[in-house]
Amino acid sequence: MYENFVNSIKDRWDTDPFGNATNGLKSDIALSHVFSYENPIWKKIKKGDILVYGMHNNSATIGHIGIYAGVKILRGKEVHLAIEAGNAGVQYQAIDDSNIGTNSNPSIEIFQYPAEFNREKVIDFATSQIGCNYNVPIVLCFGNYNQIYEEKKGSWFCSEIVHTSYLQAGIDINLFFDKDTYFDPGCTPRNILRWCLKNTTQIH
């Protein structure tokens, strides 16, 4: 359904990098912005790493979540991208030193699953959903991802798209139950953060 849309995005990076939500890239970065990648984290980060916004290891906060999608060429330079679901739908988000914070005080925390898995499957699915709508109500995400996707009809809450993208590689990152304790119903950023703190390495 979105194949032509996604291909058009890939073809337009050099000529139409910003625009608005219809080209898949959030437009909240000024054209005059100079991207900076001095932080050593950019040499460690990998496609599929989980990005946690504004939670600071605190599972008491709902927060926001995205997924690292790799590098594209933008205005002749490499730019690192996230894929996230927000009010304007599923979009790319450019990230650099200016919005990830410092290592000691990160505004975006980055978690990396240490085991080998098919990162391309994760990113391919997330990319295929660019242009889908944002869905505020959190639906139960237990079970087969095909059934979940069919029920949602292509609309996503931020944590749901990250969770379902990881399911493509056979990894369930929604920790809603642990040691006789139930957490948030459905799939929330807090549940994924709990999973990250238990199963991944925080690299930023």
Side-chain angles (χ1 to χ4, degrees):
M1 179 177 179
Y2 291 99
E3 183 177 356
N4 293 335
F5 177 84
V6 172
N7 287 338
S8 71
I9 293 168
K10 294 175 181 177
D11 293 340
R12 292 166 63 187
W13 274 98
D14 289 321
T15 57
D16 188 18
F18 288 94
N20 54 46
T22 61
N23 74 0
L25 180 65
K26 289 179 72 173
S27 58
D28 56 358
I29 298 177
L31 285 170
S32 60
H33 183 81
V34 178
F35 292 97
S36 172
Y37 296 103
E38 298 298 324
N39 194 307
I41 189 61
W42 304 112
K43 295 182 180 179
K44 299 178 183 178
I45 196 167
K46 297 179 181 179
K47 283 184 178 182
D49 285 353
I50 297 170
L51 311 177
V52 177
Y53 300 72
M55 297 178 75
H56 304 293
N57 284 335
N58 180 5
S59 59
T61 304
I62 284 290
H64 179 61
I65 198 163
I67 191 166
Y68 178 68
V71 175
K72 295 282 188 183
I73 302 299
L74 190 62
R75 300 202 301 267
K77 297 189 179 295
E78 291 187 345
V79 175
H80 293 256
L81 297 172
I83 295 174
E84 59 183 59
N87 289 335
V90 181
Q91 297 178 311
Y92 283 120
Q93 166 68 68
I95 53 175
D96 73 344
D97 291 341
S98 69
N99 56 12
I100 67 165
T102 63
N103 292 342
S104 60
N105 186 29
S107 50
I108 300 177
E109 293 171 289
I110 304 172
F111 295 89
Q112 194 169 90
Y113 189 49
E116 290 295 322
F117 68 101
N118 193 328
R119 293 176 178 271
E120 292 302 325
K121 275 191 174 182
V122 173
I123 296 304
D124 285 350
F125 181 82
T127 302
S128 75
Q129 302 306 298
I130 290 174
C132 289
N133 294 326
Y134 182 60
N135 188 332
V136 176
I138 303 169
V139 302
L140 293 180
C141 283
F142 315 138
N144 184 282
Y145 74 86
N146 287 320
Q147 179 182 350
I148 297 165
Y149 179 59
E150 179 61 28
E151 290 174 356
K152 290 181 63 58
K153 299 189 185 302
S155 61
W156 299 99
F157 186 62
C158 65
S159 50
E160 292 172 338
I161 189 169
V162 177
H163 173 231
T164 307
S165 295
Y166 261 78
L167 286 174
Q168 313 308 302
I171 304 170
D172 188 345
I173 64 174
N174 183 30
L175 183 62
F176 62 91
F177 176 81
D178 187 43
K179 296 181 179 178
D180 300 322
T181 300
Y182 283 94
F183 301 119
D184 298 337
C187 180
T188 68
R190 287 193 298 208
N191 285 354
I192 292 180
L193 175 59
R194 292 183 181 107
W195 182 88
C196 287
L197 294 173
K198 186 174 182 178
N199 297 284
T200 71
T201 301
Q202 184 172 355
I203 62 173
H204 179 75

